[in-house]
Amino acid sequence: MKDQRVRPAWPRLALGALSGALAGFAALAVAELVAAAARPQSSPVIAVGGASIDTTPAAVKDWAIRHFGTNDKLVLQLGILAVLTVLALALGVLAVRFRRVGAAGILFFGIVGAAAAVSRPDSTGLTDALPSVWGAVAGALLLYVLAGRLTTVRRPATPASDQETEETEAVPSASRGWDRRGFVVAAASAAAVSASAGTVGRSLNASRGQDASASRKRVLLPSPASPAPSMPRRAGLRIPGISPFVTPNNDFYRIDTALVVPRVDATAWQLRIHGKGVRHPGVYYFDDLLRRGLIERDITLTCVSNEVGGPYAGNARFIGVRLADLLAECGVEPPSRGGAADQLVSRSVDGMTIGTPVEDVMDGRDAMLAVGMNGEPLPFDHGFPVRMVVPGLYGFVSACKWIKDIELTTFDSYDPYWVKRGWARKAPIKTSSRIDTPKPFARPTAGPMMIAGVAWAQHRGIDKVEVRIDDGPWQEADLAAEDTRDTWRQWSLPWQATKGGHTLTVRATDRTGAVQTDQRTRTIPDGASGWHSVVVAVD
Ligand SMILES: Nc1nc2c(c(=O)[nH]1)N[C@H]1C(S)=C(S)[C@@H](COP(=O)(O)O)O[C@H]1N2
Ligand SMILES: [Mo]
């Protein structure tokens, strides 16, 4: 039998693509609205994004951090939206001929989003599937209706029979063979409804964080029972271009896997301490912590993903509860005194797990559950209401933000998040130094200038910094006064710059006498090593 269908002409295919895009937009808008009303983390874009962060090989993630820095998450979300747009356009074109198939395609992606949301580590159950499901149903219906307008013949004589048919009838003329008015009305109303769903979702989302913001504003940090040793006046050099000794909160690097920054209401927060060898498991509330004698310390944090010369290190004044005291109260003993657990696993509200040696947090160093940073409650980005900070260890093995649970266990029996992805179980911070000024490829004029930067070897302390110009001898730099061995030290070296290209290289020696190695290693598995060099062209 001869096929009586009219092949859809390209303008209709284009309108099909438009329908697909509108349906995809509607699906996402409805999903965002439902997610905003329920839980922002259950939005399909966030869930799929989170799942892709967790399954990205360490090398790719490292590459993304290197190229996009802290914008990596934005790039990921834009990438997901780009992929969804292409899929939606394709489904729209498909729907011009097979509208059930097009609609089913949207439902299929809804199922993918729902599965991702339900299987996230911080999922609160099957209800996390709802945003994807409702979004997909809305998108599928819309595509079905729009594609219907594109394939329906409107019979002028009987307007009542505005009944959809699956393209089975021959149409008099391809250009007149579809319901223009119906399409325009449906498309315009869909766009309007989606836009308002998006707007309502936004404002819902904004108001959701209000309890958390209000609880943060109400926090009054007590003055510490044990204040930070007074910072030597000469800890901060006044050299243009050098990293300030204290990193302001707004400039402090942020590294985490959270696509939506958790906004935790401090009044509803609690921390559980339990596990192997915990004789008195405990639950602590935020106010409990504030009522204890707090310690205040300057501590330099460093990310293991920091490349040689990279920006992921910052120094802040933290205030919080000494972790060893809490653990002792719960009856925990370190392994060296016969304790059963050698690994402390901290869990965050967003499902992160971080493993820290129990011995390290109980060896007398200022490991703490921090509640404040540089004189204010922790910023949301940096873990409000409570995070862990352990001097001397990279953040991925110590600095759990938005912490809610501490479990004592063993390294043999449990691998936390990063270890499962190929990073080291234990990772003390490597002795490092960085040239802050001059910047790479700077073009200073010949004459006197300052070479300056920072060096860190947390919990060992920096003893010496040396700078080499081209292949010259190592020259000892001037060190700013040491605040504590848990903080970085600024250094500087005056230089008579001569015309031409020069390579400046820096290396540090820590207080154990170990000289920073020139052996270059990658950041994976336990941190980059090697000397930082800067090439300049002096005019
Ligand atoms: N909940 C949670 N805590 C986390 C992380 C994370 O991804 N999620 N990243 C860790 C890493 S790798 C580092 S380097 C520090 C960074 O802390 P900052 O963002 O406050 O600088 O947080 C640590 N704590
Ligand atoms: Mo990190």
Side-chain angles (χ1 to χ4, degrees):
M1 198 176 106
K2 203 165 168 267
D3 191 354
Q4 296 239 313
R5 295 185 192 193
V6 174
R7 285 208 160 274
W10 75 265
R12 256 199 291 165
L13 291 181
L15 288 174
L18 173 66
S19 309
L22 283 172
F25 179 46
L28 287 182
V30 169
E32 292 307 309
L33 177 62
V34 177
R39 237 169 58 83
Q41 284 83 349
S42 62
S43 122
V45 177
I46 298 302
V48 169
S52 42
I53 289 177
D54 289 355
T55 50
T56 309
V60 177
K61 185 155 19 193
D62 226 39
W63 174 88
I65 289 179
R66 216 162 35 244
H67 286 264
F68 306 120
T70 317
N71 288 328
D72 56 342
K73 297 195 185 82
L74 181 63
V75 172
L76 173 68
Q77 291 190 66
L78 291 178
I80 291 173
L81 289 179
V83 170
L84 285 180
T85 306
V86 170
L87 290 170
L89 292 172
L91 285 176
V93 171
L94 190 67
V96 176
R97 297 220 46 186
F98 312 101
R99 61 181 177 143
R100 294 218 177 91
V101 178
I106 293 197
L107 289 177
F108 172 77
F109 288 109
I111 292 171
V112 172
V118 170
S119 58
R120 298 299 301 140
D122 59 340
S123 163
T124 52
L126 274 179
T127 49
D128 281 353
L130 292 180
S132 301
V133 168
W134 283 115
V137 167
L141 277 176
L142 180 61
L143 184 56
Y144 191 77
V145 168
L146 288 176
R149 301 301 106 180
L150 290 176
T151 52
T152 299
V153 183
R154 213 174 228 272
R155 291 195 192 86
T158 50
S161 74
D162 184 16
Q163 172 207 63
E164 292 160 23
T165 54
E166 284 267 7
E167 268 206 284
T168 42
E169 43 206 300
V171 277
S173 124
S175 66
R176 307 179 90 231
W178 57 285
D179 177 3
R180 285 183 201 202
R181 209 171 66 90
F183 180 84
V184 171
V185 169
S189 24
V193 170
S194 309
S196 33
T199 315
V200 173
R202 280 260 166 112
S203 57
L204 260 179
N205 236 335
S207 65
R208 271 186 72 80
Q210 270 169 13
D211 289 348
S213 299
S215 77
R216 184 172 179 276
K217 285 203 190 84
R218 276 197 306 271
V219 173
L220 263 180
L221 293 177
S223 51
S226 165
S230 69
M231 203 183 285
R233 251 193 318 119
R234 296 278 302 138
L237 305 174
R238 242 163 281 144
I239 297 174
I242 200 172
S243 305
F245 179 71
V246 176
T247 315
N249 288 353
N250 282 334
D251 300 341
F252 207 97
Y253 79 90
R254 172 186 162 209
I255 296 283
D256 55 57
T257 57
L259 283 173
V260 175
V261 173
R263 288 181 161 260
V264 179
D265 178 347
T267 57
W269 177 88
Q270 58 181 54
L271 171 75
R272 208 158 75 92
I273 301 183
H274 61 110
K276 248 195 186 70
V278 183
R279 268 177 285 143
H280 322 289
V283 172
Y284 296 86
Y285 298 91
F286 189 69
D287 284 341
D288 296 342
L289 297 191
L290 290 191
R291 271 196 295 271
R292 305 173 68 101
L294 302 185
I295 60 170
E296 177 194 55
R297 298 290 183 268
D298 299 332
I299 297 169
T300 300
L301 297 190
T302 309
C303 180
V304 70
S305 295
N306 195 49
E307 299 282 332
V308 170
Y312 304 136
N315 182 44
R317 175 159 288 191
F318 292 97
I319 181 169
V321 174
R322 179 187 283 283
L323 183 54
D325 293 351
L326 275 190
L327 293 176
E329 219 173 88
C330 296
V332 176
E333 297 275 10
S336 60
R337 276 190 267 132
D342 60 0
Q343 181 176 219
L344 180 157
V345 172
S346 36
R347 279 193 180 76
S348 69
V349 300
D350 64 331
M352 172 54 61
T353 52
I354 285 183
T356 312
V358 176
E359 197 63 50
D360 288 354
V361 300
M362 300 190 82
D363 72 356
R365 72 182 79 198
D366 295 319
M368 65 165 108
L369 292 176
V371 295
M373 179 177 184
N374 289 332
E376 53 171 308
L378 288 177
F380 288 111
D381 280 357
H382 296 290
F384 181 83
V386 181
R387 78 173 305 171
M388 222 163 97
V389 174
V390 183
L393 306 182
Y394 284 116
F396 82 109
V397 289
S398 68
C400 189
K401 304 193 275 189
W402 316 293
I403 193 173
K404 67 159 193 195
D405 186 285
I406 288 180
E407 180 179 355
L408 278 294
T409 177
T410 61
F411 280 102
D412 280 345
S413 62
Y414 184 75
D415 282 341
Y417 184 92
W418 297 105
V419 175
K420 286 198 189 95
R421 289 162 177 80
W423 298 80
R425 289 200 169 77
K426 298 186 182 176
I429 297 173
K430 296 181 178 178
T431 299
S432 313
S433 51
R434 176 174 82 198
I435 299 173
D436 287 336
T437 180
K439 296 277 173 253
F441 310 113
R443 311 208 53 166
T445 47
M449 61 178 291
M450 276 291 187
I451 306 170
V454 284
W456 60 85
Q458 291 91 317
H459 211 55
R460 297 182 299 279
I462 289 291
D463 189 45
K464 186 162 78 172
V465 169
E466 296 162 292
V467 177
R468 190 176 69 182
I469 290 145
D470 302 319
D471 295 324
W474 287 103
Q475 305 178 50
E476 209 169 319
D478 297 319
L479 281 174
E482 176 171 77
D483 181 7
T484 74
R485 60 186 173 145
D486 294 333
T487 56
W488 60 16
R489 273 179 99 169
Q490 296 178 332
W491 58 265
S492 68
L493 183 81
W495 178 40
Q496 283 292 334
T498 55
K499 269 195 199 312
H502 296 288
T503 303
L504 318 175
T505 306
V506 66
R507 72 174 186 195
T509 303
D510 66 30
R511 287 207 187 279
T512 71
V515 182
Q516 182 181 343
T517 173
D518 66 332
Q519 291 294 313
R520 280 253 171 187
T521 58
R522 300 197 306 159
T523 55
I524 308 169
D526 63 356
S529 66
W531 294 336
H532 184 215
S533 288
V534 164
V535 174
V536 294
V538 180
D539 282 327

